[in-house]
Amino acid sequence: MAAPRKYSYELRERATRLAVETRRDPASAGGAIKRIADQLGVHPEALRTWVKRAETDEGTWPGHDFGGSGQGRGAGT
């Protein structure tokens, strides 16, 4: 039997959305992940990983496409 997840899906989605939106604003981008992680009780490295994955999936961060669309870095190029 698998262990329960430490963070709920809803918390992950909310924290990721807040961090991505905050990082788009240059005035508040500095320290956004740590600040939001502290506010929501999430480990900063966990949030950083979620944000990186979300930004990669939407194409604002270069790298592998975790969404499974097969159109990530190196696919077809």
Side-chain angles (χ1 to χ4, degrees):
M1 182 173 184
R5 295 199 178 258
K6 186 171 183 176
Y7 304 112
S8 70
Y9 177 78
E10 292 81 14
L11 178 60
R12 271 181 70 160
E13 291 297 310
R14 179 177 175 217
T16 302
R17 183 176 24 85
L18 283 170
V20 168
E21 289 172 0
T22 302
R23 285 169 45 104
R24 287 185 182 143
D25 178 16
S28 61
I33 289 179
K34 172 107 172 73
R35 186 172 57 251
I36 291 168
D38 289 344
Q39 289 172 353
L40 297 176
V42 174
H43 193 280
E45 283 302 307
L47 180 55
R48 184 191 63 78
T49 301
W50 302 339
V51 168
K52 184 175 178 182
R53 181 168 288 197
E55 289 177 342
T56 301
D57 287 349
E58 69 182 28
T60 58
W61 183 274
H64 180 73
D65 177 13
F66 292 102
S69 67
Q71 304 219 351
R73 186 179 199 182
T77 56

